[in-house]
Amino acid sequence: MSNHQKRLSVPNSWPVERKTATFTVKAGAGPHGRDGVPLLILLRDVLGYADSKKEARYALNQGSVLVNGEAVRDEQRPIGMFDIIAFTERDEYYRVFPDEGGRLALTRIDADAADGRLAKIEDKTQVPGGETQLNLHDGSNLRVGDGGDYNTKDSIVVSNDDKEIVAHFPYEEGCLVTAVRGQHAGEIGEIADIKVTPGSGSNSVVVEGEDTSFETVEEYVVVIDENFTGDDE
């Protein structure tokens, strides 16, 4: 199986130029599904910390590049929305955040903000033993003893150390959200109204911000905290 991906067919979320070359690196198996961006692209094409795959592999083998608190040595490891990337030797920390057009961008954060990652609850199910499993946007899941406080479309912050929930942001009118897909991707505001669509159609939300107001389907928004909106330093 080829380790290459044609640039013209990469997902819109990938922060790569499509016409500078024919191929780029292919994402390996892992979280975020097809939208996951290979770590190599962030190291080489976005941050400029490596000039080649060989240099990236050498840096990763030092164990000083962490993704969500865990050392990563695979340059094809998929990186996606809200992941936390730490460069311990540089004392640099970044959060992957949706930018205009839905492309993923790196937002510089401080060390304290890098202790946990934001996750959207896509679904929840009961598992044997009475626990509730929360299925998250990146394909991972988390079990909680009492799932009554958590609903789909809510967001949580999961600690990198012990994988426990350290914050919970309910999906409701007045909450702060960012659009992650669609023509308003990257825009931030508060939900002013949730419009329930009868039948099987998607509900829509009206979002109002300081400089923007838009309407989109609720699947395209993620609840965030004000600390996730920009540079924390």
Side-chain angles (χ1 to χ4, degrees), residues 15-16 40-49 104-106:
V16 298
L40 172 61
I41 288 179
L42 300 183
L43 293 176
R44 182 187 62 192
D45 302 340
V46 177
L47 293 170
Y49 288 170
L104 296 178
L106 297 179

Side-chain angles (χ1 to χ4, degrees), residues 57-143:
R57 283 179 175 173
Y58 176 81
L60 293 174
N61 283 334
Q62 308 310 304
S64 60
V65 180
L66 310 182
V67 177
N68 301 329
E70 298 180 357
V72 174
R73 291 178 170 81
D74 179 6
E75 75 276 4
Q76 292 182 275
R77 197 275 196 193
I79 305 297
M81 185 174 64
F82 304 131
D83 278 344
I84 301 293
I85 305 176
F87 299 92
T88 57
E89 291 185 354
R90 294 173 174 266
D91 196 26
E92 292 181 6
Y93 307 87
Y94 296 90
R95 179 183 295 113
V96 182
F97 202 77
D99 203 351
E100 293 183 6
R103 300 183 81 180
L104 296 178
L106 297 179
T107 300
R108 186 79 176 265
I109 59 177
D110 60 28
D112 291 339
D115 290 339
R117 64 183 177 91
L118 187 76
K120 179 180 180 180
I121 301 174
E122 297 282 1
D123 191 16
K124 68 175 188 176
T125 55
Q126 291 296 122
V127 295
E131 291 186 317
T132 299
Q133 178 174 288
L134 305 180
N135 303 316
L136 308 180
H137 76 278
D138 60 1
S140 65
N141 55 68
L142 185 69
R143 291 190 178 187

